[in-house]
Structure formats: structure tokens, C-alpha cells
Amino acid sequence: MAILTPAETRRRVDASLRRRYRTEKLFRFYGLLSVLLGVGFLLLLFTTIIANGYGAFRQSFVRLDIQFDPAVVDPEGARQPDLLASADYAQLVKTSLRTIFPDVEDRASRRDLNALVSSGGGYELQRMVLADPGLIGQTRTLWLPAGDEVNLYVKGRAAEGESESQHLSEQQIGWVKQLEASGQLRQQFNTIFFTGGDSREPELAGIWGATKGSFFMLLVTLVLSFPLGVAAAIYLEEFAPRSWLVDVIEVNINNLAAVPSIVFGLLGLAVFINFFGLPRSAPLVGGLVLTLMTLPVIIIASRASIKSVPPSVREAALGVGASKMQMVFHHVLPLALPGMLTGAIIGMARALGESAPLLMIGMVAFIVEVPSGFLSPSTALPVQIYLWADSPERAFVERTSAAIMVLLAFLLVMNAAAVWLRSRFERRW
């Protein structure tokens, strides 16, 4: 074996150091590139969603002088609610439009003219008359939502390379421009999107029904999963004897956390609906299914929080005469609670974004009415997004993206709350 001179040894050491430094720089470059690519794709996703969805927060409205003609609304003069509800209120809108454009005579042109105003205008008039029958015989100036194609045209959202005349005729475009010139067509904040339920008409579709259904489900999930999860974590970590049965339970809890969510939907369909007979599409059933899905996550997070409490806290409590129950609930649990809350919020955020298990229990149904309780037919925000994404109307594209923006905002708020709780209450050891 040849003996290296000091100069040769130094040369080899320097070469080895250069290789290691070069490898480290290359690794840092690849890591930075990965982070930049991830952030770039995330920004692209957010930019695409915002670009497609911001238009849904504004809606076009047409100003019409509506005459509540008694011959149309209440021909018998009885003012009975059931007769008032069955009146042809759309005829009032059509009559007002023909007053503005008296030259429209043929049937096809009248149909195009009526399409300028959403069919929801008639329902708005019906609601007003049922709330105040004294409107019958009066004339009111109202702003009614424009049709979806008119709304898209006004907002300049015709698809690239697509002729506007494929959706609005030249005559309709002329009417729209005339209404804009006379101040009878304007855009304003779309309150319907935040206060209405689902609808077949894009301009009338809102997220309030889905948001309220999601709220009821998350409330059921929180009330059931957090106490059960914390209690199970405390028992397994502090009181359960070490045995093969406890080991099997721990393994199964870890496995349940990785089970696909649709499996929990099948379980909810078989147990809660088919066996117990609970109503389909009810927030109560959705909350029970999400509880099963969230429970393993909360148990694992709570056990990790309990383990993070130093043994010296337990020893000091027992040393001053506290019982094991007092040691756990008076000393360990308050210190572990921030981590438990963080895990619960993250689990709830995951439950908020789930749609697959809800599809299995019927929450994919088309439901117009806003749910009034835990047993009312309802849907959830992720399922509402799925339904709108499958709709053929062009205007539902921006509704879908806007609903995604709202859902992401909720998720960001929940995750920010989890971070704040951890930083606010967590103790460093």
C-alpha cells in the first residue's frame, strides 16, 4: 500500500470536499426548485379559480315598472293565498317588457324579449304579493335579475373565439344596449349568490342552502367526534393496560385514519339509513358519517398531544398527593388541550371538504329549499360544487369557481384558527 505524501493527501481531501459542497448545492437547488414549482402551480390554481369565479359576485338587473294587474294576479278578487300563489306572475314581467319595446309583435321575437329577464322575476313578484296583498292594483318600479346569457354578455364573458350571436341574437343585443343606454340595466353585488338556495337557473343559484347544510353537519360532527375522540385518547394513553387487545385497537385506529372516505359513506348508507331508517339527505346523517371519518384523526392528534406533556408534570402531580384521575384532568389535559383543539379543527376542515361519503347518503339530490334543521333535506358545499360543475349552462362555470373560492376561504380560516390556537396556548418545554 502506497504511502501518500502530505500534498497528495491534501489534494484528495480538497477534491472530496468540493464534491460534497457541489452535491449539497445541487440538493439545495433541487429543493428550492421543487418549492418554487409547488408555489407556482398553487398560484396558477388560485389565479384560474379567481379569474373564472369573481364574476359570480356581480349580477345584472333590469329595471321594470311592474303593474300588479288584478285581472292576472287575483281575477276572482278573493285574495286567498292559494289562489295568489298560483297566479301567472311571469305575465306581469312580459307585459312590462312589451311596454318598453312595443314594436315586438311576432312570437319568436317575444320569446327572445322575455329571455332578457330571468324566470325568477316571477317568483320574486309572487313572494312580494304573498307578503303584502295590498300591492294588487298598484305599480312598482323593481330591479329584477337578468337572464344568464344577458348577464354573461354584459360582463363580457363570451368564450374566446365564440360568436356572441350563438347565445344572443342581434336583436337581443340591440335591446340590451338600449336598456343600458336608458339606465334600465345595471350590475350590482349579487346577494342572491349568498342568500339563495340551488336553482336550475344560474342567475338564481346560491350557496346559502349548501352552506347551512354544511354548518349543521359540522355541528353534529364536532359535538360527537371531539368528546369521543378526546375520551378515547385519554383512556388509551393514560388508563388502558398494555395488552394485545389494546394493541389491536391502536392499530385499527391508525388504519381507519387511512381508509378512503367513500367507505364511510357506504357504512353510513348501510347502518344509519337502511338499518336505523334515518332520512336520506339529512344533515344529521351526514354529520354521523363525517364523525366516523373524523374520529380516528382526532384520537391520533389527541394522543400525540398527551404524549408531548413531560413526565415530570405527571410525577409532580402524583408527588403532591393527586390521584391519577386528578393528575390527568387537572394537569395533563389542560396542557394537551391546545394540540387536541388543533387536531380537531384540522379534522373538521377535512370533513368540510369531503363530498364522496355524502354522495352515498343521498346529499347529491337537487334541493332548492334552505334546510331548517338537522332532519331537513339538504346538501353540502362540496357537493353543490360537484352539481354545478356537471351543469351544462355556461353561467354555472363562474358559479362553480365562486363556490370553490368560498369553500377555500372557510378552509383557510379553519386552518388559520388551528395555527393561532397552537401558537397562543402551546407551551415550550
Side-chain angles (χ1 to χ4, degrees):
M1 182 176 181
I3 299 177
L4 299 178
T5 62
E8 182 67 18
T9 302
R10 178 175 297 178
R11 185 184 65 80
R12 291 192 178 187
V13 170
D14 291 341
S16 175
L17 289 175
R18 283 194 298 270
R19 284 195 301 271
R20 283 191 288 174
Y21 290 152
R22 186 166 55 250
T23 302
E24 182 180 355
K25 289 181 181 179
L26 192 61
F27 177 78
R28 289 183 177 180
F29 171 76
Y30 286 149
L32 180 61
L33 182 62
S34 300
V35 172
L36 292 178
L37 283 175
V39 173
F41 283 123
L42 186 62
L43 291 177
L44 178 63
L45 173 64
F46 286 164
T47 302
T48 303
I49 293 175
I50 294 174
N52 290 331
Y54 78 94
F57 299 120
R58 296 192 63 80
Q59 172 69 33
S60 299
F61 288 82
V62 180
R63 189 186 68 194
L64 296 177
D65 294 326
I66 301 295
Q67 181 183 6
F68 294 91
D69 189 358
V72 177
V73 178
D74 190 20
E76 299 183 3
R79 297 198 175 186
Q80 297 180 3
D82 54 343
L83 296 178
L84 295 179
S86 61
D88 186 10
Y89 292 92
Q91 183 61 40
L92 303 180
V93 179
K94 297 174 184 178
T95 301
S96 180
L97 284 171
R98 291 170 191 169
T99 303
I100 301 174
F101 302 100
D103 297 333
V104 179
E105 297 181 354
D106 61 283
R107 185 175 180 179
S109 296
R110 286 184 176 183
R111 184 172 60 250
D112 291 343
L113 179 63
N114 297 334
L116 297 183
V117 178
S118 170
S119 60
Y123 296 113
E124 177 64 18
L125 300 182
Q126 180 192 56
R127 183 191 64 80
M128 293 176 61
V129 171
L130 291 177
D132 182 14
L135 290 174
I136 300 175
Q138 300 184 17
T139 300
R140 292 292 180 88
T141 300
L142 304 174
W143 289 92
L144 300 179
D148 58 333
E149 293 298 340
V150 174
N151 186 43
L152 290 178
Y153 170 75
V154 172
K155 290 189 286 190
R157 294 188 58 82
E160 184 178 355
E162 190 175 8
S163 174
E164 295 169 349
S165 60
Q166 293 180 357
H167 303 284
L168 287 181
S169 65
E170 293 296 331
Q171 191 177 31
Q172 287 177 311
I173 294 176
W175 291 332
V176 170
K177 292 180 179 179
Q178 182 176 339
L179 290 173
E180 288 180 317
S182 61
Q184 292 178 277
L185 180 65
R186 72 180 184 187
Q187 285 192 357
Q188 62 188 48
F189 184 73
N190 188 9
T191 57
I192 299 175
F193 180 75
F194 294 97
T195 60
D198 197 8
S199 174
R200 299 292 185 190
E201 303 296 332
E203 67 275 10
L204 302 178
I207 62 172
W208 178 237
T211 303
K212 201 170 180 181
S214 294
F215 170 76
F216 285 140
M217 285 192 303
L218 290 181
L219 185 60
V220 173
T221 304
L222 179 63
V223 170
L224 294 179
S225 63
F226 186 69
L228 290 176
V230 171
I234 291 174
Y235 176 76
L236 291 174
E237 199 64 35
E238 298 291 342
F239 297 99
R242 294 297 92 187
S243 64
W244 65 270
L245 181 59
V246 173
D247 293 338
V248 169
I249 293 175
E250 292 179 351
V251 169
N252 280 277
I253 289 174
N254 294 328
N255 289 336
L256 284 175
V259 169
S261 58
I262 196 170
V263 176
F264 292 100
L266 291 170
L267 179 63
L269 176 64
V271 176
F272 301 129
I273 295 179
N274 294 339
F275 184 76
F276 288 105
L278 294 176
R280 295 175 65 91
S281 305
L284 176 61
V285 180
L288 292 173
V289 171
L290 295 180
T291 297
L292 296 177
M293 189 188 69
T294 309
L295 199 56
V297 178
I298 296 180
I299 292 175
I300 293 173
S302 299
R303 293 190 66 186
S305 300
I306 294 174
K307 288 181 180 179
S308 65
V309 177
S312 58
V313 174
R314 297 174 173 84
E315 296 169 358
L318 295 175
V320 295
S323 65
K324 190 169 185 179
M325 184 74 73
Q326 291 173 326
M327 177 266 292
V328 170
F329 286 95
H330 294 175
H331 300 277
V332 176
L333 185 58
L335 297 177
L337 191 58
M340 294 177 176
L341 292 175
T342 301
I345 293 176
I346 293 175
M348 298 292 291
R350 178 195 172 192
L352 175 61
E354 286 291 344
S355 60
L358 304 181
L359 301 180
M360 303 304 301
I361 60 173
M363 300 197 76
V364 70
F366 175 73
I367 299 172
V368 178
E369 299 297 330
V370 177
S372 58
F374 294 96
L375 296 177
S376 302
S378 175
T379 185
L381 201 52
V383 180
Q384 188 69 79
I385 293 171
Y386 167 78
L387 292 174
W388 285 352
D390 197 42
S391 299
E393 290 84 355
R394 293 191 311 151
F396 273 118
V397 174
E398 63 179 13
R399 259 60 178 183
T400 303
S401 298
I404 293 174
M405 293 167 60
V406 174
L407 179 60
L408 289 177
F410 281 133
L411 294 176
L412 288 175
V413 169
M414 295 179 72
N415 283 278
V419 173
W420 180 82
L421 283 174
R422 179 173 291 275
S423 61
R424 175 67 176 81
F425 297 104
E426 186 179 30
R427 295 191 180 183
R428 303 293 180 181
W429 307 102

